């Protein structure tokens, strides 16, 4: 297993991992390219490598199979788990064939360790029925009170935050 810092050249992989994270296949999409037209999703990846962007890429046997990344958003253009302009929102996606291998935990741990140096907290949005919710709780994320909302798939998501200081 490997984990390395994400680079601007990883944007295509980030689109693919956002496709996995957003359950786009379940919504009838057959390509990560279709995410660019979904309101609220494109800004998670579009123009990756801007100031403040931070991420990691990982995989098995030399193949990149997952990524975790974060970006800052503004109140004028918030992401789904927006808390405030100083708290970056994290996204993570792992290819189906590598789920259950520990890759997701390794990616989250590496990204959290890197983010801790520059930020007071990180946040994310997660479906309440997503098995990754347990991982986020184990890593110390807690639900933001009153953050329950219906997501693009029509199910309920919550915003979670991990405070470093």
């Amino acid at each position: 297993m490997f984990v390395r810092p994400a680079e601007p050249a990883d944007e295509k992989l980030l689109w693919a991992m956002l496709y996995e994270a957003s359950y786009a296949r379940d919504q009838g999409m057959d390509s990560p390219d279709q995410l660019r037209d979904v309101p609220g999703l494109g800004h998670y990846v579009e123009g990756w490598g801007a100031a403040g962007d931070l991420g990691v890429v990982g995989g098995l046997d030399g193949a990149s199979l997952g990524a975790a990344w974060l970006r800052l958003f503004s109140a004028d253009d918030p992401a789904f788990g927006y808390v405030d302009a100083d708290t970056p929102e994290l996204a993570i996606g792992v290819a189906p064939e590598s789920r259950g291998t520990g890759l997701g935990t390794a990616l989250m741990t590496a990204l959290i360790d890197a983010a801790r140096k520059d930020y007071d907290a990180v946040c994310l949005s997660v479906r309440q029925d997503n098995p990754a919710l347990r991982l986020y709780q184990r890593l110390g994320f807690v639900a933001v009170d009153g953050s329950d909302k219906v997501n693009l798939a029509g199910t309920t998501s919550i915003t979670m935050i991990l405070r470093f200081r």
Side-chain angles (χ1 to χ4, degrees), residues 82-159:
Y82 181 80
V83 172
D84 60 46
D86 297 320
T87 304
E89 185 171 341
L90 185 151
I92 180 171
V94 177
E97 64 269 25
S98 61
R99 293 181 187 150
T101 65
L103 179 59
T105 300
L107 291 167
M108 287 290 292
T109 301
L111 184 58
I112 288 168
D113 288 346
R116 189 181 308 273
K117 298 170 188 150
D118 296 321
Y119 299 104
D120 291 340
V122 295
C123 63
L124 57 81
S125 177
V126 61
R127 290 182 184 191
Q128 286 184 320
D129 61 353
N130 186 333
L133 176 64
R134 291 187 303 279
L135 167 63
Y136 305 147
Q137 290 169 328
R138 279 196 314 270
L139 292 172
F141 283 84
V142 295
V144 174
D145 289 339
S147 67
D148 302 27
K149 60 186 157 215
V150 176
N151 56 42
L152 295 174
T155 61
T156 302
S157 290
I158 58 171
T159 297

Side-chain angles (χ1 to χ4, degrees), residues 70-90:
L70 54 79
R71 294 189 116 164
L72 289 167
F73 296 99
S74 69
D76 294 335
D77 187 24
F80 291 106
Y82 181 80
V83 172
D84 60 46
D86 297 320
T87 304
E89 185 171 341
L90 185 151

